[in-house]
Amino acid sequence: DVRTRAVHSNGGLFFRAITGDFMNGYEAQLHNRCLGDDPAKPFRFCTGGIDDRQDARRQIARDFVTFRMTVIATGPHIATWVNGYQTVAWTDDRQPHENPREGQRLKAGAIQLQAHDPATDYEVSQILAAAW
């Protein structure tokens, strides 16, 4: 459960990350932004998208309003929901690699939060994790 405290805060939730490394995992975006004020045209790094892999289908979350992002990773399939609306369904068909930035990683890893730049301001009120 997340709420922005600044317009267009840019961050992310890293998962399946390499333990002890910084930001070497899959990244579910946290960035409530669209093109031309049209939620049907989400910005490239919009909330719910998987960074550099699959953009969100639509901007669901709004700045200053608490939203819930759900991420489920089952084998090579990753899906995200924002406030119950599915934003991504993506299968990583790349060759296996220890670093998910470089290829498919199926094993568990660290969870990390990212604040992209000094203007990013988020409140994270709850993180729930479970083995699937």
Side-chain angles (χ1 to χ4, degrees), residues 6-84:
V7 173
H8 298 157
S9 284
N10 185 358
L13 169 75
F14 282 84
F15 58 97
R16 288 187 178 171
I18 299 169
T19 302
D21 263 5
F22 184 63
M23 299 188 321
N24 275 324
Y26 295 98
E27 181 187 2
Q29 291 292 149
L30 294 170
H31 190 74
N32 303 331
R33 192 170 179 185
C34 59
L35 301 173
D37 294 324
D38 183 352
K41 297 178 182 174
F43 188 68
R44 180 168 182 238
F45 304 108
C46 190
T47 297
I50 304 300
D51 187 44
D52 291 332
R53 304 290 169 239
Q54 180 69 51
D55 293 341
R57 294 176 178 152
R58 182 176 184 87
Q59 179 196 356
I60 303 298
R62 301 297 187 268
D63 285 330
F64 308 107
V65 178
T66 301
F67 63 91
R68 175 168 285 180
M69 182 170 68
T70 303
V71 178
I72 297 179
T74 304
H77 188 71
I78 297 170
T80 63
W81 289 261
V82 177
N83 290 339

Side-chain angles (χ1 to χ4, degrees), residues 5 23 37 46 49 51 71 80 87 90 92 96 98 120 122 128:
R5 297 185 339 169
M23 299 188 321
D37 294 324
C46 190
D51 187 44
V71 178
T80 63
T87 50
W90 174 68
D92 189 346
E98 179 65 18
T120 296
Y122 280 104
L128 303 170

